[in-house]
Amino acid sequence: MNAQKTNVHYTDNYLLAPTNPISVNLIGAGGTGSKVLTGLMEINESLLALGHTGLQVRLWDDDIVTSANLGRQRFFECEVGLPKSVALINRINRCTGANWKAENLKFEKDKFGNIPKQSVATITITCVDTVQARFGVADILTEINGQRNRVRDSPKYWMDYGNSKQTGQVILSTVGNITQPESEKYNPVANMPFVTEEYGDLLLQSEKDDNTPSCSLAEALEQQDLFINASLAQMGCKLLWSMFRYGMTKYRGCFHNLEDFRTSPILID
């Protein structure tokens, strides 16, 4: 009897041996996004040490730092009143000598329905609060992928983070099909669906949380526990790092429950 092959996804070749830094759009600079940015910095420094060209990150967020953000998000008292994206990117650039970019605005089409040129990136990572924002990102990635004149930074992967007070998930998707090699040992999977396709109905049904900004850290902690964002950020960054380091993965994310310390991997199917 022939054993069933394990489903895996082989990382797109461009990510493994690029001639330029891999472009990354990180959307959202709050509790999760600010921690993911630190993870991307660590990935970048490690890739550079291994002879890779590293990452070129652009952080999108139209919010400013408030006192409610201190402690749970990666901000400090001296940054209150600054744009979140600018505060974080300036800190990263000063610490590492990088030239990452900050966008103090939402990741969305302009009023004429056009996609901003700077929104094109090889990897998109969303750390957003609303279902509407996720569907907006899906629409932009689909439109860019459908354009005939493909550019070097054409989108290939979308990683989405989402969480409630004590639980969360991170899900990796491909933007279209990624060319896969033949394998006698594994079953290569070229396409992983968008979170909006796979869980769209569930997302729409569950959008009932009050996203009113908190006035204090104490109020913010009633909405999201202290370490849910950080622990979830580490899970997703580990998945991304594995794709760079090992060139393949049999996982496309996980469901994470911090309250009882359980994490359930999402296998590629």
Side-chain angles (χ1 to χ4, degrees), residues 166-227:
Q166 294 275 13
T167 63
Q169 71 285 329
V170 55
I171 298 175
L172 178 69
S173 307
T174 59
V175 183
N177 293 326
I178 303 297
T179 302
Q180 300 287 286
E182 295 183 359
S183 174
E184 295 183 358
K185 184 176 181 180
Y186 299 109
N187 178 39
V189 177
N191 183 277
M192 294 179 283
F194 282 1
V195 63
T196 50
E197 297 173 359
E198 194 169 18
Y199 300 103
D201 292 340
L202 184 61
L203 288 172
L204 291 171
Q205 293 174 9
S206 64
E207 190 174 35
K208 57 184 178 181
D209 296 332
D210 181 10
N211 291 314
T212 302
S214 303
C215 295
S216 67
L217 175 57
E219 290 182 9
L221 291 173
E222 289 300 317
Q223 298 178 24
Q224 297 184 42
D225 197 54
L226 183 57
F227 290 108

Side-chain angles (χ1 to χ4, degrees), residues 96-165:
T96 67
N99 188 29
W100 291 2
K101 305 298 182 182
E103 296 287 347
N104 185 29
L105 44 82
K106 292 182 178 180
F107 183 89
E108 61 184 5
K109 295 180 179 179
D110 64 23
K111 61 182 180 181
F112 303 107
N114 299 317
I115 299 173
K117 181 179 179 181
Q118 62 268 33
S119 65
V120 181
T122 302
I123 300 173
T124 297
I125 303 175
T126 45
C127 307
V128 296
D129 295 328
T130 67
V131 174
Q132 181 182 4
R134 288 185 175 89
F135 276 96
V137 170
D139 181 49
I140 289 175
L141 292 178
T142 299
E143 184 170 332
I144 295 174
N145 186 55
Q147 294 173 352
R148 291 181 177 272
N149 297 324
R150 302 296 293 276
V151 296
R152 171 173 56 85
D153 291 328
S154 59
K156 298 182 185 299
Y157 294 101
W158 174 18
M159 178 175 284
D160 178 70
Y161 287 87
N163 70 278
S164 57
K165 184 175 182 178

